[in-house]
Amino acid sequence: MLNHTMTKRKTLTIAFFGIALGLCIGTMLKNYRALEIVKRCSHRPTNLKTPEEIIGLRDEDTIQNSQRNLVFVGVMTAKSFLEGRARAVYDTWGKEVPGRIAFFSSEGSYSEDLPVVGLKNVDDRYPPQKKSFMMLYYMYEHYIDRFEWFIRADDDVYMEPDKLERFLRSIDSSKPQFIGQAGKGNSEEFGLLSLEFDENFCMGGPGVILSSETLRRVAPHIPNCIKNLYSTHEDVEVGRCVQKFAGIPCTWNYEMQYILRHNSSGRNAYTGKLKRKEIHNAITLHPIKQAPLMYRLHSYVQGLKAEEMRQESLLLHRDIKRMATYLEVPDESTYMVPSVSPESDTSKRHFQDHNILGISPELNKFVPGSTEDLLDWSFIARSLYSLSSANPKQKIDSAMREGLEDVITEVMENINNYSRQRGRVIEFRELLYGYHRLDALHGQDLILDLLLIYKKYRGKKMTVPVRRHLYVQRAFTGIFVKEVDEDFYNVTLHQSLLGSLLQNGMARLSSHFTMPSGLLPPTEDKIVFVLPIAGRLGTFERFLRTYERVCIRGEQHCDLLVVIFGSPEELGEHMQLMHDLHARHVYQQVNWIQRSAPFSRGVALDVAARSSYIRQEDIILFIDVDMVFEVETLQRVRMHTQKGKQVYLPIVFSQYDPQRRGSGSEGYEDSRPPRIDDENGYFRQFGFGICAIYKSDILDEEINGFDKDITGWGLEDVKFLDKIVRVGTRQRGFLANTAELSSDYNEAAEQWRRLSVFRAPDPTLVHIYHDISCDTQLEAPQYNMCLGTKANSLGSTRLMEQLFHSSPDNVQFAAEFNRQKQQQQQQQQQQQQQPQQAR
């Protein structure tokens, strides 16, 4: 009994001490948690901001006295998207809203420079019914009397604030309004949303607009709406709540699908071409799933605004010019020139002269003084026919095609501006033909013949095809001049000379001595010339002289790798030239690879690219033995070749046959640079044999060097370009600066190559003329390409015309050919008329 009593007391004592110890530990943990909360609050004082301070709203800002109290935009987001989507919204259209904006996230969300509201007792779970309703209640509780309109938006929507302001100011906000893109659910959800036949909801993605009166009626009943949810779609539940307590449905309006635009492409929405009607006309665009796409779209919209401002400035210049004419103000008056006082010197024309910019659009702005001053018109059909080009018939390039599309789109939008009031719409179908010219002083002139479809849907309905001529002048705006006090050209030249001397001096020292890396200047990437050759000793000797003058004596940090075809007996003199060059410059790399197989340019370039003579970080310049070049050529190669990003394919200048020009010379001398003009040669736009690319890029698994199954002349460069284009169009599976993908995925995808091709004429890179002999044993595509190159190199169009007309036999043949053709046409017409007369 005594032992039992002692055991019971011992148990009670242990329990007492356990309870006391637990209370002490709990008190300590509570105090520690309180300290941590205080510590966090001391680090983030912005959490203590009032609702007005969060959005920068002052007490004196009211609907009556402030233009920035029109609308409050609430953007629903999540903690993980604050530094991605939310920041993109705030950096782009968010700061331009004609009111205020705030980002609503889960409890505890915070950002130092974004107006973030962490909703109490709300998390980031999806679907966000509670977050959406509590955001509306927060708006009502703190801002209901401070704004006319309230917008519920997602963090993947783009808004155009200017269009939004014009739209909202045209509607009465004192009445209950519930504006959005109306929906009743898709086919899979039909009957599952608990909507009556006459009920709808505003789709949340493109944005939902509520007037202050609507929010005032609905907000007090939000707790009741949250307790009675019939679906998982928060926009459906918001619409049901508004219908029940405000008594209004979402706007039934066909135009809302274009004003508040939803693209059903998902994550691929707005990743392609932005120059589309839906983007130009919409107020909101949804969804923009990647933060960089938001910045891209905003940049495009800002460009459209800049175009509108330039057009408005032109209209103002024209108004000033017109009023000056009415007021009989002379053209030379200084009061007509902006920012110029009457006492200033007016001997020079101002770059904003109203006498130039104020001329009304017309095709006779430019008055030629003689026939030589006449502006040539180019004819536009399926091809472009131009007198100024060596090839009169050309494919319409992408820039011209895009410009024509812009003109036609803008004109059709202007024509259909009042289509709703007039009960008709006019659609563009086809450009039949047109004329185009460029006036350097005034702008671009266009005459276009358009096939249109006239549709009348009010009164007597009709659909009629019509043709109309369109006369357009895309006027140039003023020239903006920036004056600087310092002669930047001479300063830059002086600095570049000093830098070149320093770099070359250090390079020479480092080749003989070991120097600390901190003393060495950053060296440019090495250019390795890859030259395939078979025979052609004299041309090879000329190439080596050019290489020695430009690259070695000019100290341009280059190597030479020659892939030479032929037997040892045939190559004795070639090898001696390379040995002599190496002996004169023992510290320069002059290497060669000898092959006894039949000549194949593709094999030569592929073998050179894979050789150990070239490092991964070197630039490979594939070149022909007929080329001459200068230091500027190498500067352009380094400037336009970018590792993992860009390949440089220069457009070389190809000489015509000097004998046909009557010059009597071989066309090139080392002491005199080739003459660059239309009579001496042409820029070979369809040649891709000269190419600069990093070795690390050419050995990409999808490029993998050159095709080695091509023998003889040509075609290897075309197939190589096809590979580069294929790699260039490879889609990345990521976009940087977004919080939606893991960092590991982004880092791996960053290593993918997307090579773009850069092409530009290089007047310092000249192909010296030589006789071309096309082997009939070549494959048909190679043989045709060889004949085309041979024909293009004969001479200029003017020379060919002179040679043709200088022969009476040619003129007589052409006259006889045209006479026979005319007789055949007349006979065909007579044969067609006889059956008609018989009837």
Side-chain angles (χ1 to χ4, degrees):
M1 186 71 175
L2 182 61
N3 290 336
H4 178 71
T5 303
M6 291 294 294
T7 302
K8 188 175 182 181
R9 288 179 180 177
K10 186 176 180 180
T11 302
L12 290 174
T13 303
I14 293 173
F16 174 77
F17 279 110
I19 292 172
L21 182 62
L23 288 174
C24 293
I25 294 174
T27 304
M28 291 176 62
L29 290 176
K30 183 178 179 181
N31 291 335
Y32 177 78
R33 186 163 180 260
L35 288 173
E36 284 296 311
I37 293 174
V38 171
K39 185 177 180 181
R40 285 202 300 266
C41 290
S42 64
H43 281 306
R44 300 193 295 191
T46 49
N47 277 358
L48 303 178
K49 288 182 179 179
T50 64
E52 289 76 14
E53 290 174 340
I54 291 175
I55 63 173
L57 188 63
R58 299 175 301 179
D59 293 338
E60 58 270 23
D61 292 336
T62 63
I63 297 174
Q64 292 73 23
N65 65 9
S66 175
Q67 293 291 323
R68 292 204 59 199
N69 283 52
L70 175 66
V71 60
F72 177 84
V73 181
V75 180
M76 284 201 308
T77 186
K79 279 184 181 180
S80 58
F81 293 156
L82 285 177
E83 293 303 318
R85 293 181 185 176
R87 184 168 296 281
V89 167
Y90 192 65
D91 289 342
T92 55
W93 60 268
K95 296 180 180 180
E96 300 175 8
V97 168
R100 301 295 193 278
I101 186 173
F103 298 90
F104 290 83
S105 184
S106 57
E107 185 175 9
S109 297
Y110 164 76
S111 176
E112 291 187 0
D113 48 0
L114 295 180
V116 176
V117 176
L119 295 171
K120 189 176 181 180
N121 298 324
V122 173
D123 54 33
D124 287 331
R125 283 182 297 181
Y126 192 87
Q129 288 108 325
K130 186 175 183 181
K131 183 185 291 184
S132 179
F133 277 112
M134 295 309 297
M135 179 180 71
L136 294 176
Y137 190 82
Y138 187 95
M139 296 178 185
Y140 165 75
E141 187 177 20
H142 299 288
Y143 309 124
I144 187 61
D145 295 321
R146 309 297 294 273
F147 298 95
E148 297 182 53
W149 297 92
F150 296 87
I151 296 180
R152 168 242 172 270
D154 289 341
D155 58 6
D156 59 352
V157 69
Y158 181 85
M159 293 188 184
E160 293 199 39
D162 295 340
K163 292 181 181 178
L164 177 65
E165 182 175 7
R166 290 194 296 269
F167 176 71
L168 294 181
R169 292 196 185 280
S170 66
I171 307 173
D172 187 358
S173 62
S174 63
K175 297 179 180 179
Q177 306 281 0
F178 188 40
I179 302 172
Q181 186 179 149
K184 293 179 69 68
N186 55 37
S187 57
E188 297 177 355
E189 298 169 337
F190 188 76
L192 302 177
L193 301 179
S194 301
L195 293 174
E196 298 295 335
F197 72 95
D198 59 342
E199 289 182 339
N200 67 358
F201 63 94
C202 288
M203 293 174 57
V208 178
I209 305 173
L210 300 87
S211 64
S212 56
E213 179 60 27
T214 302
L215 186 60
R216 186 176 281 106
R217 294 184 183 185
V218 172
H221 304 281
I222 281 179
N224 184 35
C225 294
I226 294 177
K227 293 179 181 178
N228 297 277
L229 300 176
Y230 295 89
S231 72
T232 59
H233 299 281
E234 55 88 16
D235 48 2
V236 175
E237 299 306 319
V238 170
R240 195 192 318 276
C241 193
V242 172
Q243 175 84 35
K244 182 175 181 180
F245 296 105
I248 54 172
C250 185
T251 48
W252 285 110
N253 193 305
Y254 181 77
E255 293 180 348
M256 279 300 155
Q257 62 180 316
Y258 302 109
I259 295 176
L260 307 177
R261 183 74 179 180
H262 172 73
N263 190 311
S264 58
S265 302
R267 296 182 66 85
N268 295 324
Y270 308 108
T271 57
K273 184 179 178 181
L274 296 180
K275 194 172 291 184
R276 302 203 307 269
K277 185 177 179 180
E278 65 173 281
I279 294 178
H280 290 196
N281 296 338
I283 294 177
T284 68
L285 297 167
H286 176 267
I288 315 294
K289 290 296 186 182
Q290 307 283 349
L293 295 179
M294 186 76 72
Y295 292 105
R296 172 175 176 257
L297 180 58
H298 184 67
S299 177
Y300 177 74
V301 172
Q302 294 298 98
L304 295 179
K305 291 180 181 178
E307 290 180 7
E308 294 176 1
M309 293 177 66
R310 285 195 293 268
Q311 182 64 26
E312 290 178 5
S313 70
L314 275 179
L315 295 177
L316 291 174
H317 281 294
R318 291 168 185 168
D319 288 343
I320 293 172
K321 176 67 175 175
R322 192 181 303 112
M323 293 306 300
T325 304
Y326 295 153
L327 297 173
E328 299 181 353
V329 178
D331 291 345
E332 62 273 9
S333 173
T334 55
Y335 292 103
M336 288 288 293
V337 182
S339 303
V340 176
S341 62
E343 295 80 12
S344 64
D345 180 19
T346 59
S347 60
K348 295 183 179 179
R349 265 193 158 172
H350 197 269
F351 60 86
Q352 291 282 12
D353 194 342
H354 304 298
N355 295 317
I356 298 176
L357 301 180
I359 303 176
S360 299
E362 58 175 312
L363 298 180
N364 296 323
K365 282 184 176 181
F366 175 74
V367 180
S370 63
T371 55
E372 295 180 354
D373 296 335
L374 286 171
L375 298 175
D376 298 328
W377 288 88
S378 298
F379 179 68
I380 304 170
R382 295 188 181 275
S383 300
L384 179 67
Y385 300 84
S386 176
L387 182 64
S388 60
S389 175
N391 182 12
K393 181 181 177 181
Q394 302 178 41
K395 180 181 177 181
I396 301 177
D397 59 25
S398 58
M400 171 68 76
R401 193 177 301 278
E402 185 176 351
L404 292 173
E405 291 176 358
D406 289 349
V407 168
I408 294 172
T409 300
E410 187 173 348
V411 169
M412 296 309 299
E413 288 179 358
N414 291 335
I415 291 175
N416 290 315
N417 267 343
Y418 302 100
S419 59
R420 186 175 180 183
Q421 293 87 332
R422 297 172 182 173
R424 59 100 176 112
V425 65
I426 299 176
E427 297 179 356
F428 167 75
R429 283 299 171 87
E430 185 181 0
L431 171 62
L432 300 177
Y433 68 87
Y435 297 92
H436 144 77
R437 74 178 182 185
L438 185 65
D439 180 354
L441 185 63
H442 299 108
Q444 182 189 30
D445 297 332
L446 291 166
I447 302 175
L448 305 177
D449 186 21
L450 306 180
L451 175 61
L452 309 174
I453 301 297
Y454 176 88
K455 293 183 178 181
K456 185 177 180 182
Y457 55 84
R458 186 177 298 169
K460 185 179 179 180
K461 298 181 180 180
M462 60 190 309
T463 301
V464 182
V466 294
R467 288 179 63 177
R468 288 292 183 269
H469 276 176
L470 178 65
Y471 300 88
V472 179
Q473 184 169 76
R474 305 179 76 185
F476 290 153
T477 53
I479 302 171
F480 295 90
V481 179
K482 181 180 180 181
E483 296 183 359
V484 293
D485 298 331
E486 194 173 8
D487 188 351
F488 279 98
Y489 177 78
N490 290 330
V491 171
T492 305
L493 180 62
H494 180 67
Q495 291 176 349
S496 63
L497 287 174
L498 287 178
S500 178
L501 290 173
L502 176 62
Q503 181 172 337
N504 292 333
M506 288 293 187
R508 287 186 176 184
L509 290 174
S510 62
S511 64
H512 297 280
F513 306 101
T514 302
M515 300 187 65
S517 58
L519 296 178
L520 290 173
T523 59
E524 298 174 323
D525 288 339
K526 180 183 291 184
I527 298 177
V528 180
F529 283 70
V530 172
L531 175 66
I533 188 172
R536 317 253 335 254
L537 179 62
T539 308
F540 181 54
E541 184 177 4
R542 183 187 64 203
F543 179 88
L544 292 182
R545 288 199 306 267
T546 304
Y547 179 83
E548 182 178 15
R549 174 177 59 86
V550 175
C551 300
I552 299 180
R553 294 177 182 169
E555 298 178 340
Q556 292 300 310
H557 193 46
C558 300
D559 287 353
L560 176 62
L561 176 58
V562 180
V563 183
I564 188 165
F565 288 77
S567 63
E569 296 78 15
E570 299 172 336
L571 301 180
E573 295 181 82
H574 295 78
M575 304 300 290
Q576 186 62 44
L577 289 175
M578 289 187 285
H579 282 298
D580 292 344
L581 178 63
H582 187 265
R584 291 195 298 271
H585 308 281
V586 293
Y587 295 108
Q588 296 294 325
Q589 292 293 326
V590 179
N591 303 305
W592 55 85
I593 300 174
Q594 186 176 346
R595 296 185 66 87
S596 58
F599 177 77
S600 171
R601 190 172 188 273
V603 171
L605 301 183
D606 188 77
V607 169
R610 299 177 188 276
S611 71
S612 59
Y613 294 117
I614 306 175
R615 300 174 301 174
Q616 291 287 328
E617 62 271 19
D618 291 341
I619 300 174
I620 305 177
L621 176 60
F622 299 110
I623 198 165
D624 288 341
V625 72
D626 302 294
M627 304 303 301
V628 295
F629 48 89
E630 300 294 334
V631 173
E632 292 83 359
T633 307
L634 306 182
Q635 293 173 348
R636 292 188 177 97
V637 167
R638 288 192 171 98
M639 181 185 303
H640 301 313
T641 310
Q642 301 176 15
K643 183 183 293 186
K645 296 181 180 180
Q646 186 167 283
V647 180
Y648 178 43
L649 276 76
I651 301 174
V652 306
F653 184 81
S654 185
Q655 281 189 335
Y656 292 135
D657 184 357
Q659 300 296 332
R660 293 183 183 274
R661 298 199 308 268
S663 62
S665 65
E666 294 300 323
Y668 175 74
E669 298 177 7
D670 290 349
S671 59
R672 184 178 61 185
R675 186 175 178 181
I676 309 298
D677 57 34
D678 292 338
E679 294 303 316
N680 284 277
Y682 67 102
F683 282 101
R684 191 182 292 183
Q685 298 188 15
F686 300 101
F688 313 108
I690 311 302
C691 172
I693 184 173
Y694 276 88
K695 179 174 181 177
S696 57
D697 291 334
I698 197 173
L699 296 182
D700 181 278
E701 59 182 6
E702 294 194 20
I703 297 179
N704 195 27
F706 286 82
D707 286 342
K708 294 180 286 187
D709 56 348
I710 301 175
T711 59
W713 187 95
L715 206 59
E716 80 288 331
D717 55 346
V718 177
K719 291 191 174 183
F720 179 64
L721 178 62
D722 288 340
K723 293 181 181 180
I724 296 175
V725 172
R726 188 163 57 247
V727 173
T729 57
R730 177 168 57 185
Q731 295 294 325
R732 283 183 179 178
F734 81 106
L735 282 170
N737 300 326
T738 178
E740 299 182 35
L741 299 172
S742 65
S743 59
D744 295 340
Y745 182 82
N746 284 347
E747 291 173 1
E750 272 282 11
Q751 305 304 317
W752 296 355
R753 290 181 177 86
R754 287 188 69 201
L755 296 176
S756 61
V757 176
F758 181 84
R759 303 212 70 201
D762 187 346
T764 66
L765 192 57
V766 180
H767 179 274
I768 304 301
Y769 176 81
H770 63 90
D771 291 331
I772 299 176
S773 177
C774 298
D775 188 356
T776 56
Q777 301 300 320
L778 291 171
E779 297 289 337
Q782 293 174 274
Y783 185 71
N784 292 332
M785 289 176 62
C786 181
L787 291 178
T789 302
K790 182 176 182 178
N792 289 336
S793 302
L794 292 177
S796 66
T797 305
R798 189 189 303 270
L799 177 62
M800 294 296 102
E801 181 184 5
Q802 291 175 355
L803 294 175
F804 181 85
H805 288 290
S806 64
S807 174
D809 295 339
N810 292 337
V811 177
Q812 185 178 356
F813 172 79
E816 180 65 21
F817 178 82
N818 291 332
R819 187 183 62 80
Q820 293 179 1
K821 187 175 181 180
Q822 188 175 6
Q823 287 180 352
Q824 292 176 358
Q825 292 176 349
Q826 290 176 354
Q827 291 175 359
Q828 291 176 357
Q829 291 177 358
Q830 291 175 0
Q831 291 174 359
Q832 292 175 357
Q833 291 175 358
Q834 287 176 0
Q836 294 177 358
Q837 292 175 356
R839 294 196 198 95

